[in-house]
Amino acid sequence: MNFQALKLARIAALAACALGVTATHAQEELNVVSIQASTGALAYGGIFFQNAIRLAVDETNAKGGIHGARIRLIERDNGSDKGQAIHLANQAADRDRALLVLGPTSTADALAVAPVFAEKQVPDLHFGTSDATLKASSWSMKFQQSPAVVSALVARYTLEKTPIRKVAFVYDRTNEAWIDSKNNFRDPFKAGGGAVVAEEAVVTTDANFQPLATKLKTLDVDAVYLATYPEQSANIILQLRQAGIPEKVRFIGAVAMVSPKFLAVAGKAAEGAIAVSDHVIGLDRPLNKAFEAAYRARYGAEPDSWAAVGYSLALVGMATLKEAGPRPTREKVRDAFMRLRDVPILGGSGLWNQTDRKPDFGAVVLLVKDGRFVVAP
């Protein structure tokens, strides 16, 4: 072999070696993008989601990753803005080369990004509650149970455990999840003998509820059901009480009501409110205790139910990647999710399951007592 041929052979060998290293390195990292609303109107949940996801991923990597591959978590903040969520979805698919996306934080944002992930064929495990996201994209995967599960549960509790029989509804007409929550409480409530006195629509940006309060004050109701964001729900309650809504009138809320933000804004006016949650801090389970201790150690603060939801979603995401096997592709990840069963989580029954991408793992009804949410008797 002459000198030139030998030189070319060495270059080829080095190139092959470099390609081998690159391919191996690529398999050592699995790109996971987390798109959350860490700022803006949805930050009440998005911040805790992001913190808990980060914790779960770091714990997984500390245990050796998944099939020997390290998870590379890429965190993005869409600022509670649909347009920014769409931009970040495109970025996750193309620039970040995401194998799996966790988020966005809400149903509205999940619906906005669904066409992007459908077109680019990226599996997306989000926090939205409405089943509308599943219809929007076959690549959309839900962690949260639908309102048909949790809202119906609180409707049964209201009929069986309280004297409430006449309810007025206030809901955000711009959010599919809140519409679903309202409908899935209303229908079983009516079927069980309850009466719907009124249905009043608001929008996310509304802040003056005096006209609404004046109207509801004239109605004979036992309770007002609120399907709105937590801070807005608190403001509605305050303005209704200020307008003279009697103390005997109770308030019932959707999942989002179970938030420190709601309690902080509503104050004493929140006392006696009924809500439903699929995750509750303080359950006497090994996984729950370990999570709560790890969260306190990492962030120097107590976790809330939103942190528990975020951590549980991350556990389902990690289980999906494991189920997909070594060297997973986006398609393998999506198919793995469809097979996933009995994933240990913090909430509900303690085991996450799904049928045709529709999760069902149980929930609990809560009451506000002495300024905090407790399990309802």
Side-chain angles (χ1 to χ4, degrees):
M1 180 181 293
N2 60 33
F3 176 77
Q4 186 64 25
L6 181 61
K7 183 177 179 181
L8 290 173
R10 287 178 176 174
I11 291 173
L14 288 171
C17 181
L19 286 172
V21 171
T22 301
T24 300
H25 178 73
Q27 290 303 318
E28 289 175 353
E29 286 195 334
L30 306 176
N31 285 1
V32 174
V33 176
S34 177
I35 302 175
Q36 307 305 330
S38 299
T39 56
L42 302 176
Y44 69 86
I47 291 173
F48 292 103
F49 290 164
Q50 199 76 282
N51 285 349
I53 289 169
R54 188 185 309 124
L55 176 62
V57 169
D58 287 350
E59 289 176 345
T60 300
N61 283 335
K63 295 174 183 176
I66 297 177
H67 298 299
R70 181 181 181 276
I71 299 167
R72 179 181 174 233
L73 180 65
I74 303 168
E75 299 181 24
R76 305 295 187 205
D77 173 20
N78 75 296
S80 304
D81 181 78
K82 291 181 185 178
Q84 181 66 359
I86 293 170
H87 168 72
L88 292 176
N90 278 289
Q91 183 175 294
D94 299 332
R95 193 185 77 179
D96 297 332
R97 305 182 69 82
L99 187 64
L100 172 66
V101 174
L102 305 179
T105 298
S106 71
T107 292
D109 289 347
L111 279 170
V113 302
V116 175
F117 291 132
E119 177 189 352
K120 297 180 182 293
Q121 299 187 339
V122 179
D124 170 38
L125 177 59
H126 60 75
F127 289 97
T129 58
S130 174
D131 289 343
T133 61
L134 306 182
K135 298 175 183 177
S137 168
S138 62
W139 292 82
S140 180
M141 307 182 303
K142 285 180 57 183
F143 166 76
Q144 297 273 56
Q145 299 170 110
S146 74
V149 176
V150 293
S151 293
L153 177 65
V154 76
R156 288 195 299 272
Y157 175 87
T158 301
L159 289 168
E160 294 172 5
K161 301 291 186 177
T162 78
I164 295 170
R165 293 298 179 269
K166 294 173 287 186
V167 174
F169 293 82
V170 179
Y171 67 99
D172 184 345
R173 62 176 174 81
T174 65
N175 190 305
E176 191 72 30
W178 301 144
I179 296 171
D180 282 354
S181 294
K182 181 259 298 182
N183 291 344
N184 282 283
F185 178 95
R186 180 198 62 194
D187 294 347
F189 182 72
K190 286 177 62 178
V196 176
V197 178
E199 293 191 43
E200 300 293 330
V202 299
V203 298
T204 306
T205 55
D206 285 345
N208 178 12
F209 302 106
Q210 289 305 313
L212 174 66
T214 300
K215 181 175 181 178
L216 293 182
K217 183 181 176 181
T218 65
L219 303 177
D220 180 21
V221 298
D222 300 320
V224 177
Y225 182 93
L226 299 169
T228 55
Y229 288 118
E231 189 169 1
Q232 190 175 54
S233 291
N235 284 329
I236 292 172
I237 289 174
L238 288 172
Q239 292 184 43
L240 291 183
R241 290 295 190 217
Q242 290 165 1
I245 293 290
E247 290 293 327
K248 67 176 183 178
V249 175
R250 304 276 296 274
F251 295 100
I252 306 170
V255 171
M257 182 181 278
V258 186
S259 163
K261 189 71 171 178
F262 169 77
L263 294 175
V265 175
K268 293 181 179 180
E271 196 70 11
I274 303 168
V276 63
S277 179
D278 32 42
H279 286 71
V280 182
I281 294 298
L283 291 179
D284 188 15
R285 297 174 182 164
L287 181 62
N288 293 64
K289 289 181 176 180
F291 158 71
E292 291 169 26
Y295 193 95
R296 284 192 295 268
R298 176 71 176 269
Y299 298 109
E302 293 293 326
D304 69 355
S305 60
W306 299 108
V309 171
Y311 189 80
S312 293
L313 176 139
L315 293 180
V316 172
M318 301 304 100
T320 301
L321 292 175
K322 184 177 181 180
E323 177 69 21
R327 301 178 184 274
T329 63
R330 290 171 172 175
E331 186 174 7
K332 286 181 179 179
V333 171
R334 183 186 65 168
D335 293 345
F337 181 87
M338 298 298 291
R339 299 191 300 270
L340 209 58
R341 299 291 187 278
D342 294 330
V343 180
I345 61 169
L346 303 177
S349 67
L351 289 176
W352 182 94
N353 280 286
Q354 55 88 21
T355 302
D356 296 330
R357 295 183 291 155
K358 294 181 180 180
D360 189 353
F361 51 87
V364 292
V365 178
L366 305 175
L367 296 177
V368 178
K369 184 178 180 181
D370 299 326
R372 55 190 290 266
F373 281 105
V374 299
V375 177

